[in-house]
């Protein structure tokens, strides 16, 4: 097991900066997910941790040891690309035991280890079969077995479930997380799928344009985004943003938009920016006749237990998540109430959340 620390990490490809002064500590035994849009620098960060790419500047520590310039083979980590990259001519037992064979471990010890790992992955009954005849899910378990058999200090996984269909993906997410709970090795998992990230990670690091913007547990990432980017990127539908063309004074309890008074959480700071945004999640807006803002229903998406209502209001177009029991028609006039304890105020110039009783 290992703690991974990256310090002021930069990677340039020519003039282009792929990773921009990243700082991150991944705790010993943690399942840490790096999440962000395509091209934001997730894979490059992972490849630098693995030693497959050298940083332009900055350092990487594994268990307090500076490994920045060590070869991959000297770092004692396992890099998992796609779980089903196996040797088709070998049977399951030989595939799983292969990493120990090339390390020169004795046949007896390999056999014992293969049995231990195959029990963990429910593969005992398949050991003598060729991998080419296995189902996709079983092949991936074999590949996982091969990567955990030598018990590396850390696992680095780059979109390992990317090529799977939805059903297998869901099953493997669950199994990977369970396996992590059993062996407890530090894992860094790269994905661009927010559901995968939020359901698997102990913590999720949100990256954009080469920078880790926020690294927190999934609940904090969802409820307390520190930037507008995180509020937009996480959640479906995304956070709503209501523009306010005024400064924000410390301790203020409400603001006016178009003569409508909206309660806000007390901020701990004055903000002189000329524009701000109130960020509010769709489920924190309540449809009620005496709401502080009025609007008209523009669209309704029925999603089973709940529905997403799009409303054109005095403060802009908003998405509301509400129970499907409420019957609404296009063009219905509705009132909307914003739950003040769930509003995040963002500086409109920097797009960073103001410090408040909820965001510290
Ligand atoms: P994806 O999910 O699409 O793989 P990512 O977040 O993993 O995206 P990276 O693969 O880390 O992104 O790439 C970050 C940026 O660096 C991209 O714009 C990519 O084109 C660029 N890049 C990556 N590797 C190289 C390279 N060897 N040479 C030049 N540019 C590169």
């Amino acid at each position: 097991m290992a703690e991974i620390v990256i310090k002021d990490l930069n990677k340039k490809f020519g003039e282009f900066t792929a990773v921009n002064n990243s700082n991150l500590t991944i705790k010993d035994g943690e399942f840490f997910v790096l999440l962000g849009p395509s091209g934001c620098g997730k894979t490059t960060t992972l490849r630098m941790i693995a030693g497959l790419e050298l940083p332009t500047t900055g350092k990487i520590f594994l268990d307090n040891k500076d490994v920045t310039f060590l070869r991959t083979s000297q770092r004692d980590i396992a890099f998992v690309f796609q779980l089903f990259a196996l040797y088709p001519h070998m049977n399951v037992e030989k595939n799983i035991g292969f990493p120990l064979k090339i390390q020169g471990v004795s046949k007896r010890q390999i056999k014992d280890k293969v049995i231990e790992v195959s029990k963990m992955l429910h593969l005992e009954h398949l050991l003598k079969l060729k991998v080419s005849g296995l189902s996709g899910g079983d092949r991936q378990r074999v590949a996982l077995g091969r990567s955990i058999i030598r018990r590396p200090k850390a696992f680095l996984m780059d979109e390992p479930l990317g090529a799977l269909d939805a059903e297998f993906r869901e099953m493997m997410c669950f199994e990977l997380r369970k396996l992590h709970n059993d062996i407890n090795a530090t894992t860094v998992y790269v994905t661009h799928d927010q559901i995968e990230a939020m359901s698997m990670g102990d913590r999720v690091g949100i990256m954009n344009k080469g920078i880790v913007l926020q690294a927190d547990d999934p609940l904090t990432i969802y409820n307390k985004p520190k930037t507008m980017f995180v509020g937009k990127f996480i959640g479906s539908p995304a956070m709503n943003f209501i523009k306010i063309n005024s400064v924000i004074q410390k301790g203020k309890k409400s603001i006016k938009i178009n003569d409508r008074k909206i309660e806000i959480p007390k901020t701990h700071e004055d903000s002189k920016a000329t524009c701000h945004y109130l960020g509010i999640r769709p489920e924190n807006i309540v449809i009620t006749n005496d709401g502080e803002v009025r609007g008209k229903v523009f669209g309704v998406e029925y999603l089973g237990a709940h529905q997403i209502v799009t409303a054109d209001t005095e403060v802009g177009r908003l998405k509301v998540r509400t129970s499907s029991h409420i019957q609404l028609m296009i063009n219905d006039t509705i009132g909307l109430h914003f739950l003040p304890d769930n509003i995040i105020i963002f500086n409109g110039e920097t797009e960073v959340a103001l410090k408040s009783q909820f965001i510290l």
Side-chain angles (χ1 to χ4, degrees):
M1 286 196 279
E3 179 188 71
I4 301 168
V5 177
I6 66 176
K7 214 166 176 316
D8 302 327
L9 202 63
N10 267 277
K11 179 68 187 179
K12 282 183 185 263
F13 294 108
E15 287 299 298
F16 178 75
T17 304
V19 175
N20 191 356
N21 209 19
S22 255
N23 284 287
L24 198 57
T25 297
I26 297 157
K27 297 173 206 156
D28 187 15
E30 183 172 45
F31 197 112
F32 187 90
V33 182
L34 264 181
L35 173 70
S38 184
C40 70
K42 308 177 293 288
T43 296
T44 307
T45 303
L46 201 69
R47 286 174 60 83
M48 287 192 281
I49 298 173
L52 296 168
E53 200 84 67
L54 274 183
T56 307
T57 54
K59 292 210 173 295
I60 298 164
F61 297 88
L62 196 62
D63 254 355
N64 290 323
K65 182 176 166 191
D66 184 349
V67 297
T68 316
F69 298 106
L70 289 190
R71 288 173 196 277
T72 305
S73 56
Q74 295 169 304
R75 296 189 187 197
D76 194 15
I77 45 158
F79 198 102
V80 184
F81 299 89
Q82 282 198 345
L83 295 181
F84 46 78
L86 295 168
Y87 303 112
H89 58 288
M90 292 184 194
N91 67 17
V92 170
E93 183 177 11
K94 291 216 163 85
N95 261 285
I96 296 178
F98 191 74
L100 298 186
K101 187 176 171 196
I102 54 173
Q103 280 180 357
V105 176
S106 76
K107 278 192 177 161
R108 181 72 253 162
Q109 278 176 307
I110 295 178
K111 198 165 181 110
D112 290 348
K113 285 270 177 204
V114 169
I115 288 171
E116 184 191 321
V117 166
S118 60
K119 272 188 187 153
M120 207 181 269
L121 292 161
H122 312 294
L123 287 169
E124 305 110 293
H125 60 297
L126 301 176
L127 285 177
K128 297 295 175 201
L129 297 185
K130 280 234 169 96
V131 292
S132 48
L134 300 182
S135 70
D138 285 339
R139 282 218 295 273
Q140 291 183 45
R141 277 194 209 94
V142 176
L144 261 182
R146 200 178 59 187
S147 65
I148 63 174
I149 195 159
R150 63 182 179 83
R151 292 296 173 110
K153 281 189 174 159
F155 290 99
L156 307 179
M157 303 192 180
D158 192 3
E159 305 248 10
L161 311 180
L164 292 183
D165 62 35
E167 193 189 342
F168 267 142
R169 231 178 140 111
E170 206 180 311
M171 183 181 81
M172 285 309 294
C173 271
F174 179 76
E175 293 203 6
L176 266 179
R177 182 61 231 205
K178 189 175 167 302
L179 187 73
H180 174 81
N181 296 346
D182 291 345
I183 62 178
N184 223 12
T186 312
T187 302
V188 189
Y189 185 102
V190 159
T191 182
H192 63 265
D193 181 321
Q194 59 161 299
I195 296 176
E196 224 170 85
M198 299 292 269
S199 60
M200 290 170 92
D202 292 318
R203 280 193 307 148
V204 178
I206 309 285
M207 271 193 96
N208 191 33
K209 296 184 180 162
I211 298 171
V212 179
L213 295 172
Q214 184 169 357
D216 268 316
D217 63 273
L219 213 68
T220 306
I221 291 274
Y222 185 78
N223 290 321
K224 300 179 179 184
K226 288 189 176 150
T227 59
M228 287 175 72
F229 178 85
V230 175
K232 270 184 242 175
F233 191 71
I234 296 292
S236 179
M239 187 170 235
N240 293 291
F241 294 102
I242 301 167
K243 193 172 183 188
I244 320 165
N245 290 314
S246 65
V247 298
I248 299 277
Q249 284 146 1
K250 184 174 167 179
K252 204 170 175 177
K253 284 191 189 152
S254 66
I255 44 118
K256 276 201 164 169
I257 313 177
N258 299 345
D259 279 339
R260 297 290 180 180
K261 186 174 154 196
I262 296 177
E263 272 183 72
I264 54 170
K266 274 193 210 168
T267 57
H268 292 332
E269 56 178 319
D270 285 326
S271 174
K272 302 243 177 323
T274 50
C275 127
H276 292 86
Y277 288 90
L278 300 186
I280 185 153
R281 293 272 179 211
E283 60 276 22
N284 295 325
I285 303 178
V286 180
I287 297 177
T288 161
N289 282 336
D290 52 1
E292 54 269 34
V293 162
R294 302 208 67 74
K296 265 194 170 177
V297 175
F298 174 78
V300 181
E301 291 161 71
Y302 173 71
L303 296 172
H306 64 263
Q307 58 187 335
I308 306 295
V309 179
T310 306
D312 281 331
T313 77
E314 297 152 311
V315 297
R317 182 168 284 181
L318 300 174
K319 298 257 184 197
V320 182
R321 189 193 306 275
T322 186
S323 159
S324 292
H325 297 306
I326 303 176
Q327 296 242 319
L328 290 166
M329 306 288 284
I330 309 285
N331 284 332
D332 277 357
T333 299
I334 51 174
L336 299 173
H337 168 61
F338 305 128
L339 299 176
D341 287 359
N342 297 286
I343 292 176
I344 313 281
I345 307 163
F346 295 93
N347 179 319
E349 289 160 13
T350 60
E351 301 200 349
V352 172
L354 301 192
K355 296 205 179 348
S356 73
Q357 56 198 105
F358 305 116
I359 295 267
L360 299 171

